[in-house]
Amino acid sequence: MAGLTLRELAARLDISVGTVSRALSGDPAIALKTRERVTEAARQYGYVPNMAARQLVSGRSGFVGFVMPVRGPNFIDSYLGEFLTGLGEGLVEHGMDLFIATVPAGRSELSVLRHVVESGRADGVVVPRIGEADERLAYLLERKFPFVAHGRMLDSSAAFNWLDADSVSAFGEIFDLLYDLGHRHFGLVSISDPMTFRHLRERGLRDAISRRGDPNVILDVASAPRFDRGATVAAVNSLIHAERRPTAMIGLFDELALTIMEEASRAGLSIPRDLSVVGFDNITAAAYAPPGLTTFEAHTRESAREIAGMLVTIIEKKPASPLTKLIAPKLVARASHGPVPGPVGKL
Amino acid sequence: MAGLTLRELAARLDISVGTVSRALSGDPAIALKTRERVTEAARQYGYVPNMAARQLVSGRSGFVGFVMPVRGPNFIDSYLGEFLTGLGEGLVEHGMDLFIATVPAGRSELSVLRHVVESGRADGVVVPRIGEADERLAYLLERKFPFVAHGRMLDSSAAFNWLDADSVSAFGEIFDLLYDLGHRHFGLVSISDPMTFRHLRERGLRDAISRRGDPNVILDVASAPRFDRGATVAAVNSLIHAERRPTAMIGLFDELALTIMEEASRAGLSIPRDLSVVGFDNITAAAYAPPGLTTFEAHTRESAREIAGMLVTIIEKKPASPLTKLIAPKLVARASHGPVPGPVGKL
DNA sequence: GATCGATTTTAAAACGTTTGCAATCATCCT
DNA sequence: AGGATGATTGCAAACGTTTTAAAATCGATC
C-alpha cells in the first residue's frame, strides 16, 4: 500500500533490481561495499518488502495456520487461550506469523482447514485436540502438508509430528497420591467424545490401579458429552448421590473437576473433608474456586511454544522421521484433596 | 504449493485465463453458460486461487491484523478470548481472515503494529483497550490506515472509528441498583493505569451519585496497577478493613470484583449478607465463584463481531465520517448483591 | 596488450492472478 | 446486404519480488 518498491530503491541507488534484492538478502556474491550501501539506503528510505510478491515467487507465506475449533456457543476457553499465546510467542521467535481461520456457522472444520492449506496462505498448520479417527490428520498426511498436532493417537504406529502432555503418567500420579491418603473408592468424571486424550488419561488411571494390585480399589466412571453442561451435571451427581459415594473424585480436566466441587457443595459436602477432588490442566479458575483445586499444570503455553519451534523445523528442514515429544505435567497441590474421611483412613 | 493454477484450469477448458478469472468472479460480461461451465470445472478439479498472486495484483491481503497486547506473564484473558472469537466470526462472514501478531519480548507493541501495517499483510487492524494517550491511534491516524478501536477516547473530539460499551450508563445503573437497596457507602476498586475505560466507568458512577443529590452518599476509591495481584489485594483490603467499611463494593471489572469476594470471605464476611459486590464484564468465572457474581454482560463477543463488520465497511467503502457505536451492557443479577445490612435498610 | 579467471552486476524469466482494451461473433435494423 | 450494435471472449500488461543464466568489469598473468 504504502512504501517504495524495490525498483524505486534500485533507481535511487542506480543499481539493478536484482542486485538490490541480493544485497538485502545478504548474498555474499554481492560486494560487501554494495551490500552496505543498499542496506543503509533501505533503512533510510524505510523500505519494506512487499510480502505478497515475495510469497508469490518463494511459495512461502510466512504464516502458520490455526483453525479455531468450533464449540457450540462457547468462547475461547482457558486451554485455547494459553495455547494461542504460546503459539504466537513461539512463532514470532522464528519470524513467522499466526493466521487464525474461524469456522463459519454451517461449515466443517475440515473444509476450512482444507481451504487454509490449499490457498497457500500458510506454510504449515497446528492441529489441537486430536480425535480418535481424526479426519484432519488423515487429510494433512495424505496431502503431505507440514503440521504438528497437540495430542497423539492411541497407538503409536501412526507416524506424524506431535507433542503431548504425558497424561498417562500424570493420572497414575493422581491415583498414587490419593491411594496413599487412604482412598479406595474413586469416581472419574469423563467425557463421551472420541478424543484421544480421554482414553490416555483413563488408561493412566487404570494402569496405576492394576499396578497397585489392590482388589479393594473401586473405580466408578460417569461420562457426558463435552460442553454439555446439563449432562455433565447429571453425570457428576450420579456419582455423588450413588448408594456408595466415592471418597475421591477426579475430573478428566479442570472444568469437570470444578463442576464436581460445585455439585458437591450443593449437596452439602465439604471439600476436602467429605470428598477429595482433583483435576487436570490448572486453568485459571482452579485457583479461584474455593478451597482451591488440586490439579496438574499441563504447561499448555510452553507446549504451544515448543510446537511452534517443531513446526518451523519441519517446514524448513523437512526431517525424514516424525518429531514427537512428551511433556511431563506437574502436580499443583492445592486444598481440594485430603485423607479419606471416616473411621477408615489407615494413614 | 499444491493445486492447479488458473492457467491449467483454462487449458483444460480450452478457454483463456482471463475469461476463467472473470467467470469465477461472477463477472456478468461472461456468458452465463460459460460461467456455469467454469464454476463446475473449478469445483470438480478443486481449484483454489493462489492468494499471494491475487493479493499482489489487488493490493489487498484479505487479512485483518490484531496485535496481541503484551501483559506481563499472563495469558489471553477472558476478554481477549471472547474478543478474538467474535472477531474471527465477524471476519469470516465477510470472507476475511485474522492475522495475529504477537509482540516478542523486548519489542514494543507499536513497533509490531507498524510492521503489520507496513508489510502490507493486513488491510486493516483492530485496536483493543484504548489508553489515554494511545500512540497506536496516533500512528494509525497519521498513516491513514483503516482501523477500528474497541474503546473510545475521553473527549469525543478525536475522530476515529470506534465501538465501545456504554459503561457510563452501566455504572450509573449499578449505583441506582445498590442505592435502591439502601446502600449509601460505596467502595470502588479501580486501576491506576491510564486506560480510558477506567475514567468512563468512574465517571458513570460519579455522575449517578451527583444526579441522585443525596449528601449521605460516600464513595471510597482504591486503585492498583492492572495485573499486579499483590497491589490489587492490598487495595481491596484497604477498603474492607477501613474504619468504616463500605456496604457495597464495586469492581471496575470482574477480576477485581472476584478479588473483592475472595478477600471478603477471607475476612469472614458473608456475601451478600455483610457486603454486596458487583462487577462488570460477566467473565466465565463470575458464574462459578460463589455465591455468583452480579455483573454486567458487556457483549464482548458480539462487539468484536460488529467491529469486524465496521472494519470491512471502512476498508471497502472508505466512508467519509468516522463510524462509532455504543453497546448497552446488560445487568446479570446473580447472588452477590442484596439489601444493605444492619438496622438501617429502609426498603 | 590480449587472455584467462574471478568477481560483480545485469537482464529477463518466472510466480498466478486481475483487468483494460482489442478482437470476434452473432444479431438486429434499415 | 451492410453496417451497427451489443454480447462474449482473448490478449497482454501489470503487480513486486526472487533467481537463473549470462554479461560485464576488473586484475593480473603471460
Side-chain angles (χ1 to χ4, degrees):
Chain A
M1 167 118 285
L4 80 175
T5 113
L6 205 53
R7 191 198 314 272
E8 288 163 355
L9 185 60
R12 283 204 227 263
L13 286 164
D14 199 29
I15 278 185
S16 85
V17 195
T19 307
V20 176
S21 171
R22 284 169 147 71
L24 288 176
S25 74
D27 187 336
I30 301 296
L32 182 60
K33 220 181 64 180
T34 322
R35 258 185 291 165
E36 283 172 344
R37 198 161 66 96
V38 172
T39 317
E40 169 57 20
R43 204 193 48 69
Q44 185 188 331
Y45 292 124
Y47 167 74
V48 180
N50 178 313
M51 289 305 178
R54 177 175 287 181
Q55 176 179 347
L56 182 57
V57 44
S58 74
R60 282 192 39 192
S61 66
F63 276 115
V64 161
F66 184 84
V67 177
M68 191 81 85
V70 274
R71 325 198 297 84
N74 281 305
F75 311 140
I76 292 187
D77 55 23
S78 246
Y79 163 80
L80 229 42
E82 291 192 31
F83 194 79
L84 284 179
T85 308
L87 207 52
E89 287 176 339
L91 288 174
V92 84
E93 286 171 15
H94 298 276
M96 295 230 136
D97 281 308
L98 182 57
F99 157 25
I100 297 212
T102 305
V103 181
R107 266 185 66 191
S108 79
E109 197 172 325
L110 180 64
S111 82
V112 174
L113 176 63
R114 193 172 244 140
H115 190 264
V116 169
V117 168
E118 286 166 18
S119 66
R121 294 175 84 127
D123 303 331
V125 294
V126 174
V127 184
R129 290 174 164 155
I130 301 307
E132 284 171 21
D134 205 301
E135 49 180 5
R136 300 170 300 173
L137 263 47
Y139 167 70
L140 291 168
L141 282 171
E142 186 229 313
R143 183 91 199 186
K144 296 194 197 311
F145 193 79
F147 77 98
V148 177
H150 190 205
R152 60 194 137 133
M153 294 305 268
L154 296 177
D155 58 342
S156 34
S157 70
F160 60 93
N161 311 286
W162 56 260
L163 178 149
D164 198 9
D166 187 0
S167 44
V168 173
S169 66
F171 270 67
E173 201 177 330
I174 293 180
F175 171 77
D176 289 339
L177 172 76
L178 293 168
Y179 185 93
D180 291 342
L181 285 167
H183 295 274
R184 296 297 178 268
H185 189 176
F186 297 82
L188 172 67
V189 176
S190 185
I191 54 172
S192 51
D193 310 64
M195 312 299 295
T196 62
F197 76 82
R198 166 197 163 193
H199 297 288
L200 292 165
R201 293 180 190 183
E202 291 185 3
R203 179 192 294 171
L205 204 53
R206 292 216 159 84
D207 286 358
I209 292 175
S210 57
R211 234 189 347 260
R212 184 73 64 159
D214 181 342
N216 294 321
V217 170
I218 304 175
L219 174 63
D220 294 334
V221 180
S223 307
R226 241 190 348 156
F227 308 125
D228 180 337
R229 179 130 187 91
T232 302
V233 168
V236 167
N237 281 318
S238 78
L239 291 180
I240 288 182
H241 298 111
E243 206 159 338
R244 280 208 61 191
R245 170 162 41 80
T247 61
M249 287 181 63
I250 302 161
L252 198 71
F253 42 84
D254 279 356
E255 277 87 352
L256 298 180
L258 290 178
T259 305
I260 296 173
M261 296 217 294
E262 274 181 287
E263 295 304 312
S265 302
R266 179 159 314 171
L269 300 177
S270 160
I271 293 172
R273 204 192 57 207
D274 305 324
L275 179 70
S276 285
V277 180
V278 180
F280 187 91
D281 272 352
N282 194 26
I283 68 174
T284 318
Y288 286 84
L293 176 64
T294 293
T295 182
F296 275 75
E297 170 59 52
H299 306 294
T300 305
R301 189 183 184 179
E302 289 71 24
S303 295
R305 202 188 213 133
E306 178 76 22
I307 284 178
M310 290 168 70
L311 187 50
V312 170
T313 305
I314 290 162
I315 291 171
E316 288 175 354
K317 306 245 170 56
K318 309 229 164 247
S321 50
L323 271 42
T324 64
K325 187 153 195 168
L326 269 185
I327 303 290
K330 187 160 166 291
L331 176 68
V332 179
R334 294 205 183 89
S336 66
H337 73 291
V340 65
V344 185
K346 54 169 173 182
L347 261 179
Chain B
M1 163 121 284
L4 85 174
T5 109
L6 205 53
R7 192 199 314 272
E8 289 163 354
L9 185 59
R12 283 204 227 264
L13 287 162
D14 200 29
I15 278 186
S16 85
V17 195
T19 305
V20 176
S21 170
R22 286 173 150 78
L24 288 176
S25 75
D27 187 334
I30 302 296
L32 184 58
K33 218 181 64 179
T34 324
R35 258 185 289 167
E36 283 171 346
R37 197 161 67 97
V38 172
T39 317
E40 170 56 20
R43 203 193 50 71
Q44 185 188 331
Y45 291 124
Y47 167 75
V48 180
N50 179 312
M51 289 305 179
R54 179 174 286 182
Q55 176 179 347
L56 182 57
V57 45
S58 74
R60 283 190 39 193
S61 67
F63 276 116
V64 161
F66 184 84
V67 177
M68 190 83 84
V70 274
R71 325 199 297 82
N74 282 304
F75 312 140
I76 292 187
D77 54 24
S78 245
Y79 164 80
L80 229 41
E82 291 193 31
F83 193 79
L84 285 179
T85 308
L87 208 51
E89 287 176 338
L91 288 174
V92 85
E93 286 171 14
H94 298 276
M96 295 231 134
D97 281 308
L98 182 57
F99 157 26
I100 297 212
T102 305
V103 181
R107 266 184 66 192
S108 79
E109 197 172 323
L110 181 63
S111 82
V112 173
L113 177 63
R114 193 173 245 140
H115 189 263
V116 169
V117 168
E118 284 166 20
S119 66
R121 291 173 83 120
D123 303 331
V125 295
V126 174
V127 184
R129 289 175 164 152
I130 301 308
E132 285 172 19
D134 205 300
E135 49 179 5
R136 300 170 301 172
L137 264 47
Y139 167 71
L140 291 168
L141 281 171
E142 185 228 315
R143 182 91 199 188
K144 296 194 197 312
F145 193 79
F147 76 98
V148 176
H150 190 203
R152 58 194 141 133
M153 295 304 268
L154 296 177
D155 57 342
S156 34
S157 71
F160 60 93
N161 311 287
W162 56 260
L163 178 150
D164 198 10
D166 187 0
S167 44
V168 173
S169 65
F171 270 67
E173 202 178 329
I174 293 181
F175 171 77
D176 290 339
L177 172 76
L178 293 168
Y179 185 92
D180 291 342
L181 285 166
H183 294 275
R184 295 297 178 269
H185 189 176
F186 297 82
L188 172 68
V189 176
S190 185
I191 55 172
S192 51
D193 310 63
M195 312 300 293
T196 62
F197 76 81
R198 166 195 162 196
H199 296 289
L200 293 166
R201 294 180 190 183
E202 292 186 3
R203 179 192 296 172
L205 203 55
R206 291 217 160 84
D207 286 358
I209 292 175
S210 57
R211 232 185 352 255
R212 184 73 63 157
D214 180 342
N216 294 321
V217 170
I218 304 176
L219 174 64
D220 294 334
V221 180
S223 307
R226 250 202 325 170
F227 307 125
D228 180 336
R229 178 129 187 94
T232 301
V233 168
V236 167
N237 282 318
S238 79
L239 291 179
I240 289 182
H241 297 113
E243 203 158 340
R244 280 208 61 192
R245 170 161 41 80
T247 61
M249 287 181 62
I250 302 160
L252 198 70
F253 42 85
D254 279 356
E255 278 88 352
L256 298 180
L258 290 178
T259 305
I260 296 173
M261 295 217 294
E262 274 180 286
E263 295 304 313
S265 303
R266 178 160 313 168
L269 301 176
S270 160
I271 294 171
R273 205 193 55 207
D274 305 324
L275 179 69
S276 285
V277 180
V278 180
F280 188 93
D281 272 351
N282 194 27
I283 68 175
T284 318
Y288 286 83
L293 176 64
T294 292
T295 181
F296 275 76
E297 169 59 52
H299 306 294
T300 305
R301 189 182 185 181
E302 290 70 22
S303 295
R305 201 188 213 134
E306 178 77 22
I307 284 177
M310 289 167 70
L311 186 50
V312 170
T313 305
I314 291 161
I315 290 171
E316 288 175 354
K317 307 248 170 58
K318 309 230 164 248
S321 50
L323 271 42
T324 64
K325 186 153 194 169
L326 269 185
I327 304 289
K330 185 158 167 293
L331 175 67
V332 178
R334 293 204 184 88
S336 68
H337 74 290
V340 65
V344 184
K346 54 168 174 184
L347 263 179

